[in-house]
Amino acid sequence: MKRLHNLLARQLTRLSLHPDSPPAAANWLTLLLRVSQSYADADQDRYLLERSQDISSREMQELYDVLQRERDQLESRVAERTAARAASEARFRSLTSLGSDWYWEQDGNFRFTSIAGNTGLYSGHTIEDHVGRTRWDIGGYEPPEGGWAAHRALLDAHQPFQDLVFSFRLADGSAAYASVSGEPVFAPDGAFQGYRGIGRDVTQQRRAEERVQRLARFDPLTGLFNRPMFFERLDHALAVARRRGTAVALLFIDLDRFKYINDTFGHLTGDEVIRTMAQRLTDAVRETDTLARLGGDEFIVLAEHLASAADASELAQRLVETLAEPVALAGTECHLGASIGIATFPADGDDAATLLKKADIAMYRAKDAGRSNFQFYSEAMNQPLIERMVLSAALKRALDQQQFVLLYQPKVDVATGALTGVEALIRWQHPERGLLPPDQFIPVAEETGFIRQIGRWVLRTACLQGQAWRDAGLPPIPIAVNLSAREFNDERLAFEIAQAVVDANFDAHLLELEITETLVMQDPDRAVETLGQLKAMGVRISIDDFGTGHSSLARLSKLPVDSLKIDGALIRDIATDPDDAAIASAVIAMAASLRLTSIAECVEEAGQLSFLKARGCDEMQGYLTSRPVPAAEIAAFVRRAGCGRLEAVNER
Amino acid sequence: MELTSLSYHRDRGWSVPLPVGLDSARTLVLTFGARAFSDHPAPLIELAAAFGRSVVAGCSTAGEILGNVVGDDSLVVAIARFASTDLALASAAIPSMDDSAVAGAQLGRELAPRHPRAVLVFSAGVGVNGSELVKGLVSALPAGTVVAGGLAGDGDRFERTWVLVDGQPRAGHVTAVALCGPVDIATGSRGGWDAFGPERRITRSRGNVLYELDGKPALALYRDYLGDLARGLPATALLFPLAIRLHDDSDGLLVRTVLAVDEATQSMTFAGDVPQGVRARLMRSNHDRLIEGAAGAATDAAGAATVRRLYRDAVSPARIDDSPTLALAISCVGRRLVLGQRVEEETEATLDALPASTTQIGFYSYGEISPSGAAPCDLHNQTMTLTTIREAAA
């Protein structure tokens, strides 16, 4: 019998049915229903199974899609990151290869782990030397500023550092410098991992800086200390001297005639001279002395450890002598020499500025004294300087306040003693100092140029006075006025004189101008021209202080002059000195042969008068006759002595 | 031991007169029946009265098992009189699900002083966290105590169950019987369900209530898989138990059965814990695999007995002897749903694998309690769980 499905068998059993016997109607239906239910159960089972499969598959597919998408995204992110990383690395390589810098890394024990970039800069130092070692263990590194201890403390504190300069020896022994900056590196959890940073070669900069430093302290031409450096030394030396109670001397050295050399031979030669002189000075000063070039042709020596002023003298003399030695220039030998001024501490001052100023003044004195010598500073030197400044101001005031006055010194005929004229001499009625002679103020006036105003005043006053005498009924009295160099060289001289004469309504023929021989001979050709102009106005010209200059007779004969005044120095000893007597005689004779009037100055003794009479000198002037006197007294003199000159004047 | 069984149907009454002669202090009366008997407790009261000295325990079912027959609307009874095994009975109330562990522990503490070899436990099937209950009970009992039993059923309604407490059917209670003495207990518990589809993660749950899988409502997933059968929720959810993997790196799976669904919260209540964060997969089975599983469970239960006897009696050969065996078969309501009309094939299969003199009694439950291999006793779902009880020869 066919084996029934055990469910069906069961179903039959449950209903107490047997396959062999058909069921009762009620049971039949029940059986059918149960069988039907079985089919339905089976359907449901299959439905669930298939549905589960479908949904599961769909879910799996969705998951798979998501995974795929995520994987794609991940891959593209990875690709991006890889590309970005590659780009970053390329950039880094560019940076390190193109620059002169290098990039370094160290581990947590400050040992180098890598160096990249420009690493071949320093001979004798390789990357291999560095890797695995700390900076202080690598041979050749000098300690940085502050020492290794300070740097290591900074590293231990995990601090960044910037531009720390390390120096080290290269294979050839020269020094190289690297500027290094570094920063600490930390892991995401904060753990210290090491350092990284950059380095840069700064050897060139360092050397340049050193050069600048040197330049700042040394004179580039001579290699001597320069001004600032010297003053540092001076301040220090003074401080020491103060403490110890010792003396210090400053020797201010100015080369003579350097400007002339520079102008004549050019600057290059001038520099050579400076160098030569610098070397001579260097050789001449003592080990303990400090030599510097202040600039131009000025040098200065700081002498410490002086036993006495004598030491300073000795030094100064040595310097003067060595600088006086000739210098070979362009095939010739030139003599320059130097003027040296000496000021000492504490005698002349206790600070650098004062000492320098006084040494400078002393140096000028040395120049004044004829150059190629040395002078110690003395207070007396200082006077004229101060006085000059005061005087200058006073002069202006004097003119404004009419403190000047003209005195007149009579010139008389040697034979007759009659008045031949007067020389107008300026005096300054100083409110405090009394009546001052010209040598007390004229030089200053010359220096400042104020002489012009004074000269103008003298001319006007003299002309006015001359005319005043005429107006007073006196016979015409020639007035002689001294001309200074400035006045004589002034283009407007003729104009000024013309103006004075015209304004005073004075007869130009009565005006006499006294010009020193030296002045005229400075530029004889020009002098001829000027004098010619003046003569054309009718003014008379007298050569003053004749016999002291170097006139040639030929030139003299060409000058349109009227008289020669023989210098007082010659007249002084004519009675006793045969040489002077001879010269004086010669001058008188020469004047006569040139048809010039001869006038002797500073005649004070009868003996001189006798001589002059004997030699035939025309006129004389001096204390023997009269001091310079106020205008009023001239009238009395005229009445007493008569006025003999006029006839001579009118005869010409 | 002496062993017999009977049944009760409402229209027929008792199948045989109550064998009151078996009543003794060492008599165990197990009874399982339809939920309806809580409303019509007469037979239960009668039974309890007839066996005044015995330990009477039992609960409601989603189907009663007696022999190889599965019935509904009936009561099945098994009576075993032990020769030298003492019994003890304890009960505890479970006011709410959160009290499950406490209740279990209470039971355990009561029975522990008796040093039981085994404890049979029958608990309310709704309003209980079965795994917590078992944990509590096991923690209070000496290690090595075999714990077996199940959660009462309520057909496929999942509404209310009863457990016999002092001879009365009571809801919200758990009762336990301690067997103290030389009894041989063997257990077997097998499923026959296979996990399928993608592994999901429980992203939101609380205790034994599942809200979300992979961030999406779990109820929606079940509806999807059930299709037309979603109409039958919550019962049809039994068709797809959940396999949860407590530890990501282990293969051990725990099977969980849906006991209730809540549309408002889109949540599903399971018979045991469904911890948040663990991985889970849906399971399905088919008829043959389930039957195979049942047979396997029985073989386990029978085989274990054989092994134990081996160890006790080194001389005698491994042979299953013929002493009376009480087999407590507690299967899962979910299996019944799948097996449908063919459900008795599994009860047949189990009986076939057990010794000839076995009296099989049991029920379809909302959760089976048993050891599983070497693991301590736990709540299982979707399994056929067999516990064989025989008294060792003196």
Side-chain angles (χ1 to χ4, degrees):
Chain A
M1 118 124 135
K2 267 222 178 75
R3 176 112 169 90
L4 292 174
H5 191 275
N6 48 356
L7 177 57
L8 182 55
R10 173 180 304 287
Q11 285 166 330
L12 289 171
T13 310
R14 276 294 197 110
L15 293 170
S16 308
L17 295 171
H18 198 270
D20 294 337
S21 51
N27 282 357
W28 172 240
L29 187 58
T30 311
L31 176 67
L32 286 176
L33 286 171
R34 288 189 183 179
V35 169
S36 180
Q37 183 61 42
S38 309
Y39 290 141
D41 286 347
D43 283 347
Q44 188 184 277
D45 223 16
R46 197 169 44 248
Y47 168 77
L48 273 180
L49 178 65
E50 283 169 4
R51 192 176 176 83
S52 296
Q53 241 178 330
D54 285 344
I55 296 176
S56 261
S57 297
R58 194 195 71 215
E59 283 194 283
M60 297 292 236
Q61 184 59 42
E62 280 170 8
L63 273 177
Y64 181 74
D65 287 344
V66 167
L67 271 175
Q68 264 300 91
R69 246 196 326 275
E70 281 182 0
R71 202 181 70 160
D72 288 344
Q73 276 176 6
L74 212 61
E75 274 183 1
S76 85
R77 262 210 298 275
V78 168
E80 266 175 38
R81 297 253 176 98
T82 307
R85 183 144 191 269
S88 174
E89 279 181 10
R91 269 199 290 276
F92 173 74
R93 266 198 300 279
S94 263
L95 261 179
T96 52
S97 72
L98 290 175
S100 58
D101 297 3
W102 61 89
Y103 168 81
W104 55 269
E105 283 180 357
Q106 289 172 344
D107 64 16
N109 290 318
F110 314 117
R111 285 186 239 274
F112 283 101
T113 54
S114 79
I115 305 185
N118 208 350
T119 55
L121 283 173
Y122 304 119
S123 61
H125 291 262
T126 62
I127 299 181
E128 287 75 33
D129 288 339
H130 283 66
V131 173
R133 288 209 182 84
T134 61
R135 208 185 286 278
W136 43 90
D137 287 334
I138 298 167
Y141 269 89
E142 307 273 330
E145 257 181 70
W148 283 121
H151 182 57
R152 288 172 75 162
L154 178 142
L155 293 180
D156 286 334
H158 303 160
Q159 292 298 307
F161 59 93
Q162 191 108 13
D163 295 326
L164 199 56
V165 176
F166 290 98
S167 77
F168 43 92
R169 298 262 144 232
L170 298 182
D172 65 3
S174 65
Y177 301 90
S179 172
V180 178
S181 302
E183 63 178 11
V185 177
F186 298 100
D189 62 3
F192 172 71
Q193 289 182 323
Y195 266 81
R196 62 173 175 230
I198 52 169
R200 190 182 327 128
D201 173 53
V202 293
T203 308
Q204 291 304 322
Q205 279 102 295
R206 259 303 164 102
R207 296 215 181 115
E209 273 165 29
E210 282 167 11
R211 219 170 13 248
V212 168
Q213 283 284 329
R214 268 203 310 280
L215 281 175
R217 305 162 95 74
F218 295 95
D219 171 53
L221 182 63
T222 60
L224 297 178
F225 285 142
N226 62 10
R227 195 185 195 95
M229 189 61 187
F230 178 80
F231 278 101
E232 247 182 65
R233 294 297 182 99
L234 178 57
D235 283 336
H236 180 255
L238 290 178
V240 168
R242 253 178 236 123
R243 256 203 324 276
R244 297 198 192 143
T246 51
V248 156
L250 270 189
L251 285 76
F252 197 111
I253 305 163
D254 190 297
L255 295 181
D256 299 329
R257 304 182 66 227
F258 181 74
K259 185 173 185 307
Y260 168 72
I261 298 288
N262 227 18
D263 290 345
T264 310
F265 293 95
H267 289 279
L268 282 179
T269 308
D271 284 352
E272 260 309 305
V273 169
I274 296 290
R275 266 201 287 269
T276 306
M277 293 310 196
Q279 187 57 52
R280 290 187 190 176
L281 285 170
T282 308
D283 294 337
V285 297
R286 308 168 301 170
E287 290 248 339
T288 53
D289 298 331
T290 306
L291 172 64
R293 180 180 174 214
L294 290 181
D297 62 347
E298 291 177 347
F299 295 84
I300 190 159
V301 174
L302 166 64
E304 300 170 85
H305 308 290
L306 296 168
S308 63
D311 275 359
S313 294
E314 210 181 290
L315 173 63
Q317 184 57 34
R318 216 169 40 244
L319 297 182
V320 162
E321 281 170 9
T322 185
L323 293 178
E325 300 268 326
V327 179
L329 291 176
T332 58
E333 279 205 340
C334 291
H335 292 260
L336 278 93
S339 303
I340 303 183
I342 310 173
T344 54
F345 166 91
D348 297 325
D350 61 12
D351 66 278
T354 310
L355 290 168
L356 189 71
K357 191 175 78 161
K358 294 193 174 172
D360 188 35
I361 294 173
M363 184 275 291
Y364 274 109
R365 267 304 271 173
K367 279 220 194 284
D368 265 352
R371 305 187 145 101
S372 201
N373 73 97
F374 66 89
Q375 291 286 333
F376 278 88
Y377 175 82
S378 70
E379 273 310 307
M381 287 179 192
N382 218 4
Q383 283 301 332
L385 201 66
I386 298 168
E387 274 202 17
R388 240 194 287 275
M389 296 189 316
V390 170
L391 214 51
S392 189
L395 282 175
K396 290 199 177 68
R397 223 181 8 256
L399 192 63
D400 293 338
Q401 294 176 13
Q402 291 150 21
Q403 291 172 3
F404 292 121
V405 64
L406 278 185
L407 294 182
Y408 303 89
Q409 189 172 41
K411 290 190 279 190
V412 297
D413 185 273
V414 168
T416 64
L419 184 73
T420 56
V422 293
E423 183 182 346
L425 296 163
I426 187 171
R427 294 288 182 271
W428 180 6
Q429 188 66 269
H430 194 281
E432 280 111 45
R433 294 165 63 191
L435 204 62
L436 298 175
D439 65 351
Q440 290 280 296
F441 58 90
I442 290 299
V444 173
E446 283 253 13
E447 263 183 43
T448 59
F450 196 63
I451 192 69
R452 275 206 200 83
Q453 280 92 310
I454 293 177
R456 211 176 289 131
W457 178 84
V458 166
L459 268 174
R460 296 184 72 80
T461 310
C463 289
L464 285 168
Q465 184 58 60
Q467 191 52 35
W469 278 327
R470 289 308 311 278
D471 293 339
L474 289 173
I477 303 168
I479 305 182
V481 165
N482 285 286
L483 277 188
S484 68
R486 275 206 200 251
E487 290 170 282
F488 185 64
N489 290 323
D490 197 330
E491 285 168 354
R492 291 161 51 89
L493 177 62
F495 173 75
E496 297 276 352
I497 291 172
Q499 186 134 48
V501 162
V502 164
D503 285 349
N505 199 22
F506 186 59
D507 184 356
H509 293 94
L510 291 177
L511 183 62
E512 208 171 85
L513 300 174
E514 291 191 12
I515 304 159
T516 62
E517 179 190 5
T518 327
L519 184 53
V520 165
M521 287 307 161
Q522 257 182 12
D523 194 342
D525 295 326
R526 197 164 164 280
V528 166
E529 206 184 304
T530 309
L531 291 173
Q533 279 177 358
L534 298 171
K535 283 295 298 172
M537 290 193 300
V539 168
R540 290 162 65 82
I541 309 293
S542 180
I543 302 294
D544 201 1
D545 297 339
F546 188 82
T548 59
H550 313 283
S551 334
S552 71
L553 294 177
R555 285 204 186 276
L556 191 58
S557 65
K558 296 246 178 6
L559 289 174
V561 300
D562 299 292
S563 53
L564 288 180
K565 291 183 85 174
I566 306 168
D567 191 67
L570 279 174
I571 302 298
R572 197 170 46 239
D573 297 320
I574 47 172
T576 53
D577 188 344
D579 291 328
D580 284 355
I583 297 168
S585 302
V587 168
I588 295 166
M590 183 184 71
S593 64
L594 291 174
R595 283 194 294 286
L596 303 173
T597 311
S598 52
I599 311 170
E601 296 174 346
C602 306
V603 177
E604 292 165 10
E605 296 163 1
Q608 294 160 340
L609 176 57
S610 323
F611 178 89
L612 292 168
K613 261 191 190 163
R615 294 292 183 273
C617 188
D618 299 312
E619 294 171 22
M620 71 174 187
Q621 182 182 341
Y623 277 30
L624 188 63
T625 312
S626 172
R627 309 172 278 106
V629 295
E633 286 185 33
I634 294 296
F637 193 90
V638 166
R639 277 192 285 279
R640 246 196 354 262
C643 199
R645 185 60 191 271
L646 284 173
E647 292 81 6
V649 168
N650 288 335
E651 268 170 13
R652 280 202 191 237
Chain B
M1 79 187 177
E2 288 170 67
L3 196 53
T4 187
S5 64
L6 54 145
S7 65
Y8 176 94
H9 292 85
R10 274 215 280 169
D11 51 352
R12 282 178 264 151
W14 294 104
S15 57
V16 294
L18 294 176
V20 295
L22 289 174
D23 182 33
S24 81
R26 288 190 174 140
T27 302
L28 173 64
V29 178
L30 292 174
T31 179
F32 308 106
R35 185 258 291 190
F37 285 100
S38 67
D39 302 324
H40 307 282
L44 290 169
I45 294 169
E46 197 184 331
L47 187 62
F51 291 88
R53 289 184 291 159
S54 312
V55 165
V56 182
C59 61
S60 62
T61 75
E64 304 79 54
I65 299 171
L66 191 61
N68 64 354
V69 173
V70 179
D72 297 291
D73 297 323
S74 62
L75 264 181
V76 295
V77 182
I79 303 165
R81 182 157 76 174
F82 291 93
S84 43
T85 305
D86 291 321
L87 305 170
L89 181 65
S91 307
I94 313 175
S96 75
M97 227 183 273
D98 294 335
D99 301 311
S100 308
V102 168
Q106 193 184 317
L107 282 182
R109 273 198 303 278
E110 265 191 64
L111 297 174
R114 306 298 296 268
H115 305 291
R117 283 293 303 280
V119 170
L120 303 178
V121 55
F122 307 104
S123 163
V126 296
V128 166
N129 185 330
S131 49
E132 286 296 305
L133 173 75
V134 172
K135 266 200 222 133
L137 177 59
V138 165
S139 70
L141 289 170
T145 313
V146 174
V147 178
L151 304 182
D154 176 22
D156 60 357
R157 288 174 295 270
F158 297 97
E159 286 165 9
R160 51 193 172 93
T161 61
W162 58 258
V163 164
L164 263 188
V165 178
D166 297 331
Q168 302 274 340
R170 307 280 298 274
H173 273 76
V174 55
T175 185
V177 178
L179 299 167
C180 324
V183 278
D184 279 336
I185 310 284
T187 61
S189 175
R190 294 262 188 116
W193 297 83
D194 297 316
F196 76 99
E199 194 166 50
R200 310 155 196 282
R201 202 177 276 283
I202 298 177
T203 50
R204 191 157 77 92
S205 70
R206 192 168 57 80
N208 60 340
V209 180
L210 172 67
Y211 293 95
E212 283 175 10
L213 287 163
D214 291 335
K216 290 181 280 215
L219 189 53
L221 182 73
Y222 270 80
R223 282 192 183 283
D224 207 5
Y225 273 83
L226 287 169
D228 294 337
L229 294 174
R231 276 178 270 123
L233 280 170
T236 48
L238 292 168
L239 294 168
F240 293 107
L242 207 59
I244 64 175
R245 192 138 64 99
L246 283 181
H247 303 285
D248 273 1
D249 51 359
S250 85
D251 289 331
L253 293 176
L254 269 182
V255 181
R256 289 288 182 253
T257 296
V258 177
L259 296 184
V261 302
D262 185 341
E263 290 294 336
T265 57
Q266 291 283 292
S267 70
M268 307 178 78
T269 304
F270 285 76
D273 278 344
V274 281
Q276 186 165 312
V278 304
R279 291 185 189 273
R281 275 171 102 187
L282 292 177
M283 301 183 103
R284 57 164 281 107
S285 186
N286 69 19
H287 169 271
D288 289 335
R289 299 268 292 120
L290 288 177
I291 303 303
E292 214 179 282
T299 311
D300 288 344
T306 311
V307 168
R308 281 211 187 87
R309 279 206 79 79
L310 259 178
Y311 281 129
R312 278 188 57 234
D313 189 347
V315 176
S316 58
R319 195 173 64 85
I320 299 170
D321 72 316
D322 237 14
S323 56
T325 305
L326 172 63
L328 182 58
I330 303 180
S331 184
C332 189
V333 60
R335 297 169 76 89
R336 188 160 183 201
L337 201 65
V338 172
L339 292 169
Q341 285 192 61
R342 300 174 72 175
V343 66
E344 279 162 352
E345 284 181 36
E346 77 166 354
T347 47
E348 265 174 24
T350 53
L351 215 43
D352 283 348
L354 289 168
S357 59
T358 302
T359 299
Q360 180 166 267
I361 188 175
F363 62 101
Y364 280 84
S365 77
Y366 284 174
E368 311 78 64
I369 297 169
S370 131
S372 164
C377 305
D378 204 346
L379 181 84
H380 304 272
N381 279 144
Q382 317 285 112
T383 61
M384 163 61 86
T385 301
L386 279 158
T387 307
T388 53
I389 303 169
R390 33 191 324 138
E391 204 161 18

